[in-house]
Amino acid sequence: MGTFSRLCEPEALEREMAALLSSPEEYAQALSHLSYTHGVLTAVIIGPKSVPPSRWVPTITNLEDSSLDDEDKAAAMAILMAQYNDVASTLAGEMGADDEGADYEPFFWVDSDDREVARNWAEGFIAGMRLCARAWSPLLADDDARNLLAPILLQLEPKLVDDLLPELPRDREEIIAAARDVIGDSVLAIRDYWRERGVPLHGLFAPAGRSGAPAMPQRRSAPKIGRNAPCPCGSGRKYKKCCMQ
C-alpha cells in the first residue's frame, strides 16, 4: 500500500504521526492541528458555496513560505486532498436515506488525560465558514437553523462561551461535553439544510497528476469503523484505543 493510500483516512495519518514524532507534546500539537484541519474541511464540504483548494489550503498551512522542497510540498498537498476526499466520501449520501452520513464522525483528538478535545475542530469549522461568510448568511438569519451551530460554538474558548450564553448553568463542562457528542448530528443537519435548498455536496478532487473536474463524492462500499465504536476484535475497548493504534 502506497503512502497516499495509507494516509487517506485521519486514523491512518494519526498512526503515522505517532510513529514519527518523538515527544508527547509534538504528537498532541500535530493531532490538534489535524483536528483543526478536519473542521475546516467539513465546513468547506457541507457549506453553501464551493471553495477551491487555493483558498482553504492557506487556512490550514502555508506551503508557499515553508522550508519544504517541491517534492515534499506535493506530498503534503496530496495528504490534504486525501483527507478532504475522505471527509467528502463519508458525508455523501442520498437525501432521505436512513443511513446517509451514518459513518461520519468529527475528528476530535484525545489528550493525555484521555479526554476528547473538540475545541480545535470547532475553530477549524468556523474558519472554514469564514471563507465564504456572506454565503452562510441565510442559515445565520434563520432562527431554527442557526441553533445547529450551538454545539460547535460551545466548544470554543470559555470566554466566548460566556459571551454567547451568559446564563449557561454552572455545570458548564458537562453541558459542553454533551454538546460535543451531538456535533456529528449538527454537521449532517447543516449539510441537509443546504442540500434542501439546492446546494450540492461539494465534489472530490483528483489526486495530484490527474486531470478533470471534481467528481461527486461516492458512498463507501463498506461501513467505516468509528473511532468511538467498540473494536471489532471483541476486546470491549473503543476502536481508537485498541486495533486502530
Side-chain angles (χ1 to χ4, degrees):
M1 183 181 293
T3 299
F4 182 82
S5 298
R6 288 203 315 272
L7 302 183
C8 279
E9 297 188 354
E11 293 83 1
L13 190 53
E14 183 176 350
R15 290 193 296 270
E16 195 84 1
M17 291 189 301
L20 293 175
L21 299 175
S22 57
S23 73
E25 292 77 15
E26 288 179 330
Y27 182 52
Q29 184 176 10
L31 277 186
S32 66
H33 191 67
L34 180 59
S35 182
Y36 173 89
T37 296
H38 274 253
V40 173
L41 297 180
T42 301
V44 167
I45 290 164
I46 68 170
K49 184 178 180 180
S50 179
V51 180
S54 60
R55 293 205 57 217
W56 58 255
V57 169
T59 303
I60 297 168
T61 184
N62 191 346
L63 293 178
E64 295 306 316
D65 291 342
S66 73
S67 59
L68 300 176
D69 59 27
D70 289 344
E71 184 177 352
D72 286 340
K73 286 179 181 179
M77 188 65 182
I79 290 172
L80 277 176
M81 300 314 300
Q83 298 294 307
Y84 176 102
N85 287 346
D86 179 69
V87 176
S89 295
T90 306
L91 286 166
E94 297 297 325
M95 285 291 292
D98 291 339
D99 63 342
E100 63 165 334
D103 294 340
Y104 176 75
E105 285 187 13
F107 184 82
F108 305 145
W109 66 287
V110 179
D111 67 15
S112 58
D113 295 321
D114 202 31
R115 295 175 302 191
E116 277 199 309
V117 179
R119 184 186 68 251
N120 304 102
W121 185 96
E123 290 171 346
F125 189 90
I126 298 302
M129 289 180 61
R130 286 174 177 155
L131 291 172
C132 54
R134 184 173 297 179
W136 282 85
S137 297
L139 182 143
L140 297 175
D142 185 315
D143 290 341
D144 293 327
R146 67 167 172 252
N147 288 335
L148 297 172
L149 293 170
I152 298 170
L153 295 175
L154 281 170
Q155 309 306 315
L156 301 176
E157 295 297 337
K159 185 179 185 306
L160 180 56
V161 171
D162 293 339
D163 291 342
L164 291 170
L165 298 169
E167 298 180 1
L168 196 68
R170 290 178 181 271
D171 54 348
R172 177 198 297 158
E173 293 304 318
E174 182 179 338
I175 291 177
I176 291 175
R180 181 191 65 218
D181 292 341
V182 299
I183 285 178
D185 293 333
S186 289
V187 166
L188 296 178
I190 293 169
R191 175 201 64 181
D192 291 346
Y193 173 87
W194 294 116
R195 293 175 79 185
E196 288 165 1
R197 285 155 179 78
V199 179
L201 196 69
H202 304 304
L204 304 183
F205 285 92
R210 298 183 184 178
S211 60
M216 287 307 297
Q218 302 296 312
R219 301 187 69 185
R220 296 176 182 274
S221 57
K224 179 180 178 180
I225 302 172
R227 291 162 51 82
N228 294 309
C231 189
C233 75
S235 67
R237 303 172 68 193
K238 290 184 178 181
Y239 178 53
K240 67 186 177 186
K241 289 295 184 180
C242 194
C243 292
M244 194 192 91
Q245 296 182 333

